[in-house]
C-alpha cells in the first residue's frame, strides 16, 4: 500500500470545530475524539478508495458500495459484510485519512453497527452525516474554515515581519529581534554558541530538558552540520537555525526557538528572524568598509525606503537582484541559499525587501507575485541583493530569477525584472533564468517613449480597471500563450487562466490567436512597464 503524502501546507481544521456547527448536525460515533485535524474532504463510493486518498482528508461515503458486498456474501459464504468493513476501516487508516463520514441517505437509515465497531478497533474517527446535510455542505464548511485560518496565519506573518524589521533597526538589534520573536511565537528564543553559551535570550525560560536539547541542536549546527535542525519534546517543538556570515575566528551562533508544536506559523516567523539575525551578527568587513552598513540598508528597505535613499550604505556601484522560490521537494533553508549566493542582503517573503516603484503599472510583476503568493500551498519567495561582480549560479532546492546589474537608483526596475525571470523559471521548471534587456537598436527604439505610452494606454484602456486581467495577459503573452505555464507562474488553475484570456479578448474586441495582435499587445505592455520603471 502506498504511503500517504505529507499533509498540505494549508492550516488544518479541527474535527471538533465541524462537530460544533449546529447547521451541519454531524455526530461522532466512534474513534478518537481529541487532536483530530481535517485538511480536506474527499467523497467516494468505491469499494476501495485508498488509491485516491492523499492523507489528512475526511472521506465521505453514503455506503453505496456495501450493496455489492452484500450481493457477494449471498453467493460466497467466505465473504461477509463484517470482514469487509473491518478491512475497509483498516485500509482507510493506513492510507492516512483523518476521519470517515457516513451519510444517512439515500441508501442507509443508520450507520452499520459493524462499521462503528471496525472504526473503534482501528482508531478511525467515524462521523454520522444526517440526511438533510449534503456532502457539499461539509466540504464547503471545511474550505471556509481553511480559508479563514489561512487568512489569520498570513495576517500574523505580516505583522511579525514588520515587528522584526522594526526591531532590527533599534539599538542593540539582536536583543530586540529576540524579544520580538519571542512575543510572536509565544515561546523562548536564544542565540547559542556550539559550546552552549547563551549570547542572548528572550521569553519564558524553559525547563532543563528543553535547554539541554537546545544546546545539542546548537552543537550539531556549529559542527558544520545542516543549516537547520529540529527536535520535539513533550509540549515543545525546538527549531534551530545556523546564522550565516560569521567571520573566521568567531564562534558560529545558532538561533534556537522553543514554541508550541501545534503552531506551524512559528517556524516561518523564526525563519524571518534567522535571516535578520544573520545580517546583524555578520562580520563588518565582508566586502570592505561599506559592508558594515549593509544590514542598516536592508532594514531601511524593509521599512519602505526608496533604493536611492540607501545607495550610500550599499557601497558597490552595481547590484544584481535575485528572486528565489524554494522547491517543494527540498529542505534547504534560506540561510544556506544566502551562504551560496555570498550575500547577507536577503529579505524573506513576497511582500518584503525592495519596494516596487511608486505608481507602478498594475501589469508589472508585484501584482503577479502577490496573486501567486495567495495560491494554496505556495512557498514565499526570497529576494537578495548581490554585488554585480559576484556570479550567480543555480542552487539545489531553489528556483532563481536573476536581474541584470543595476545601480541602486534602478533597483526597483531590477526587482521587477528578477520577478519576471523567476516566473519564467517556475513555469518552465528551470533552475535559473536571467533577465535580458533588448539592445539599443531593438524595434521598440524606433518609436518614441511618449508615442508608445499613449498608444499603449489607448489600446489597453478596457483593462486598466482590472489588475488581475492585466497581470494574466502579461504572463500569458510572455509564456507564448501556454495555459499550463501561465497557471503555474500565477498560482492559478488553468481553467481560470482560460476564462480570463477569453474575457480579455472580449473586452479588447480582438483575436488573441492572431500573432500580430499578440505582438502589438506585448509591445504595449512593455511600453507601460518602461513608463512605470521611470517613476
Amino acid at each position: 500500500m502506498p504511503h500517504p503524502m505529507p499533509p498540505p501546507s494549508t492550516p488544518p481544521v479541527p474535527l471538533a470545530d465541524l462537530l460544533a456547527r449546529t447547521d451541519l448536525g454531524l455526530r461522532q460515533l466512534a474513534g478518537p475524539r481529541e487532536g483530530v485535524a481535517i485538511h480536506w474532504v474527499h467523497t467516494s463510493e468505491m469499494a476501495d478508495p485508498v488509491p485516491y486518498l492523499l492523507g489528512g482528508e475526511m472521506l465521505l461515503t453514503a455506503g453505496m458500495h456495501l450493496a455489492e458486498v452484500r450481493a457477494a456474501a449471498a453467493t460466497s459464504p467466505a465473504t461477509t459484510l463484517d470482514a469487509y468493513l473491518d478491512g475497509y476501516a483498516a485500509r482507510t487508516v493506513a492510507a492516512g485519512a483523518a476521519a470517515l463520514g457516513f451519510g444517512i441517505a439515500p441508501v442507509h437509515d443508520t450507520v452499520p453497527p459493524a462499521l462503528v465497531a471496525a472504526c473503534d478497533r482501528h482508531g478511525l474517527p467515524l462521523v454520522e452525516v444526517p440526511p438533510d446535510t449534503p456532502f457539499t455542505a461539509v466540504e464547503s464548511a471545511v474550505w471556509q474554515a481553511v480559508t479563514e485560518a489561512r487568512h489569520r496565519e498570513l495576517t500574523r506573518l505580516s505583522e511579525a515581519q514588520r515587528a522584526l524589521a522594526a526591531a532590527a533597526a533599534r539599538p542593540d538589534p539582536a536583543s530586540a529581534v529576540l524579544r520580538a520573536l519571542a512575543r510572536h511565537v509565544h515561546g523562548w528564543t536564544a542565540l547559542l554558541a556550539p559550546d552552549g553559551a547563551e549570547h542572548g535570550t528572550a521569553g519564558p525560560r524553559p525547563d532543563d530538558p528543553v535547554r539541554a536539547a537546545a544546546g545539542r541542536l546548537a552543537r550539531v549546527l556549529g559542527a558544520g552540520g545542516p543549516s537547520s535542525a529540529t527536535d520535539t519534546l513533550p509540549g515543545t517543538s525546538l527549531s534551530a537555525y545556523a546564522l550565516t556570515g560569521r567571520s573566521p575566528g568567531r564562534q558560529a551562533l545558532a538561533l534556537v526557538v522553543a514554541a508550541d508544536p501545534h503552531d506551524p506559523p512559528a517556524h516561518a516567523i523564526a525563519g524571518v528572524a534567522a535571516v535578520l539575525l544573520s545580517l546583524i551578527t555578520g562580520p563588518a568587513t565582508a566586502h570592505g568598509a561599506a559592508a558594515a552598513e549593509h544590514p542598516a540598508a536592508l532594514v531601511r528597505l524593509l521599512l519602505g525606503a526608496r533604493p536611492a535613499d540607501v545607495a550610500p550604505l550599499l557601497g558597490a556601484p552595481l547590484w544584481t537582484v535575485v528572486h528565489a522560490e524554494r522547491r517543494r521537494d527540498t529542505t534547504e533553508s534560506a540561510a544556506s541559499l544566502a551562504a551560496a549566493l555570498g550575500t547577507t542582503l536577503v529579505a524573506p517573503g513576497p511582500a518584503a525587501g525592495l519596494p516596487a516603484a511608486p505608481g507602478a503599472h498594475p501589469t508589472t510583476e508585484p501584482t503577479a507575485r502577490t496573486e501567486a503568493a495567495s495560491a494554496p500551498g505556495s512557498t514565499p519567495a526570497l529576494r537578495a541583493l548581490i554585488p554585480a561582480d559576484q556570479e550567480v549560479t543555480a542552487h539545489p532546492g531553489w528556483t532563481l530569477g536573476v536581474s541584470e546589474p543595476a545601480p541602486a537608483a534602478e533597483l526597483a526596475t531590477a526587482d521587477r525584472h528578477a520577478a519576471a525571470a523567476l516566473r519564467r523559471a517556475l513555469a518552465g521548471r528551470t533552475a535559473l533564468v536571467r533577465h535580458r534587456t533588448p539592445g539599443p537598436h531593438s524595434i521598440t527604439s524606433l518609436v518614441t517613449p511618449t508615442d508608445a505610452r499613449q498608444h499603449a494606454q489607448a489600446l489597453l484602456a478596457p483593462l486598466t480597471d482590472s489588475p488581475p486581467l492585466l497581470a494574466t495577459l502579461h504572463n500569458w503573452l510572455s509564456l507564448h500563450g501556454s495555459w499550463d505555464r501561465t497557471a503555474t507562474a500565477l498560482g492559478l488553475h488553468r481553467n481560470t487562466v482560460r476564462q480570463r484570456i477569453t474575457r480579455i479578448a472580449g473586452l479588447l474586441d480582438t483575436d488573441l490567436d492572431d500573432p500580430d495582435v499578440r505582438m502589438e499587445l506585448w509591445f504595449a505592455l512593455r511600453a507601460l512597464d518602461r513608463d512605470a520603471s521611470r517613476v
Side-chain angles (χ1 to χ4, degrees):
M1 180 179 296
H3 295 289
M5 293 177 59
S9 60
T10 52
V13 179
L15 177 59
D17 289 0
L18 297 178
L19 297 172
R21 289 189 52 160
T22 57
D23 59 321
L24 296 177
L26 304 180
R27 185 166 65 101
Q28 185 169 354
L29 303 180
R33 299 173 183 271
E34 300 292 336
V36 181
I38 308 299
H39 287 274
W40 39 40
V41 176
H42 177 66
T43 300
S44 175
E45 297 301 335
M46 299 183 66
D48 184 12
V50 168
Y52 305 96
L53 298 181
L54 298 176
E57 60 269 277
M58 172 185 276
L59 173 62
L60 297 178
T61 179
M64 297 179 65
H65 51 93
L66 301 186
E68 300 177 5
V69 179
R70 289 194 179 95
T75 59
S76 173
T79 303
T80 67
L81 182 61
D82 288 6
Y84 166 76
L85 290 175
D86 186 81
Y88 183 85
R91 292 193 305 276
T92 302
V93 170
L100 175 65
F102 195 93
I104 306 303
V107 181
H108 298 269
D109 295 328
T110 61
V111 178
L115 180 60
V116 177
C119 289
D120 263 333
R121 277 194 301 274
H122 296 286
L124 176 64
L126 175 63
V127 175
E128 179 188 84
V129 183
D132 55 350
T133 299
F135 285 174
T136 52
V138 179
E139 183 176 2
S140 176
V142 169
W143 286 119
Q144 179 184 355
V146 167
T147 300
E148 292 173 352
R150 185 59 175 164
H151 177 72
R152 290 193 297 270
E153 282 192 358
L154 292 175
T155 300
R156 179 181 169 194
L157 288 173
S158 177
E159 292 174 349
Q161 285 186 358
R162 289 196 296 269
L164 291 169
R170 295 178 188 141
D172 192 9
S175 297
V177 169
L178 285 178
R179 290 194 298 271
L181 178 59
R183 286 197 305 273
H184 283 274
V185 301
H186 312 296
W188 177 68
T189 62
L191 285 179
L192 301 182
D195 60 5
E198 295 181 355
H199 289 249
T201 66
R205 193 169 183 81
D207 55 22
D208 291 341
V210 172
R211 295 203 305 276
R216 289 194 295 271
L217 292 180
R219 284 196 298 275
V220 169
L221 301 186
S227 57
S228 63
T230 61
D231 194 3
T232 302
L233 285 79
T236 302
S237 175
L238 279 171
S239 301
Y241 308 83
L243 302 186
T244 61
R246 304 294 288 178
S247 61
R250 300 175 67 192
Q251 278 195 319
L253 295 181
L255 168 64
V256 181
V257 179
D260 187 334
H262 304 296
D263 187 16
H267 181 71
I269 295 171
V272 176
V275 173
L276 287 172
L277 288 169
S278 291
L279 298 172
I280 293 166
T281 63
T285 57
H287 300 291
E293 300 296 338
H294 284 178
L298 178 60
V299 168
R300 288 186 60 187
L301 286 172
L302 286 168
L303 295 176
R306 285 175 170 268
D309 296 338
V310 300
L313 302 177
L314 292 175
L318 296 176
W319 293 83
T320 301
V321 180
V322 177
H323 278 222
E325 195 92 4
R326 194 200 324 260
R327 293 202 292 270
R328 294 177 182 269
D329 58 351
T330 185
T331 57
E332 287 290 323
S333 67
S336 68
L337 176 63
L341 293 174
T343 182
T344 56
L345 292 176
V346 179
L354 299 174
H361 193 271
T363 60
T364 56
E365 284 68 21
T367 296
R369 292 300 306 138
T370 300
E371 187 168 58
S374 67
S378 62
T379 307
L382 297 179
R383 291 171 175 175
L385 275 181
I386 300 172
D389 58 359
Q390 292 181 209
E391 183 180 4
V392 179
T393 58
H395 184 65
W398 291 84
T399 301
L400 306 182
V402 184
S403 76
E404 290 181 315
E410 297 179 10
L411 285 178
T413 300
D415 184 53
R416 290 196 297 273
H417 291 165
L422 175 61
R423 287 206 315 279
R424 294 198 299 273
L426 291 170
R429 295 179 172 84
T430 303
L432 185 149
V433 168
R434 300 179 192 276
H435 173 81
R436 303 294 185 190
T437 300
H441 302 297
S442 66
I443 191 170
T444 56
S445 65
L446 301 178
V447 181
T448 65
T450 300
D451 290 343
R453 181 174 64 256
Q454 292 176 349
H455 174 70
Q457 290 172 342
L459 181 63
L460 298 171
L463 307 181
T464 53
D465 292 332
S466 181
L469 292 183
L470 280 166
T472 302
L473 178 62
H474 191 288
N475 282 271
W476 186 71
L477 291 174
S478 72
L479 296 171
H480 312 293
S482 169
W483 309 109
D484 291 331
R485 294 172 67 192
T486 304
T488 299
L490 290 175
L492 300 172
H493 193 281
R494 68 195 308 271
N495 288 343
T496 302
V497 176
R498 285 183 177 273
Q499 292 166 2
R500 289 187 180 183
I501 294 300
T502 300
R503 185 180 176 196
I504 290 168
L507 290 173
L508 297 179
D509 191 22
T510 192
D511 180 10
L512 292 179
D513 290 330
D514 188 331
D516 289 334
V517 171
R518 292 192 187 190
M519 184 177 298
E520 184 176 11
L521 289 173
W522 179 249
F523 284 147
L525 290 168
R526 293 290 295 159
L528 293 180
D529 282 349
R530 288 193 300 272
D531 184 49
S533 69
R534 288 192 295 271
V535 176

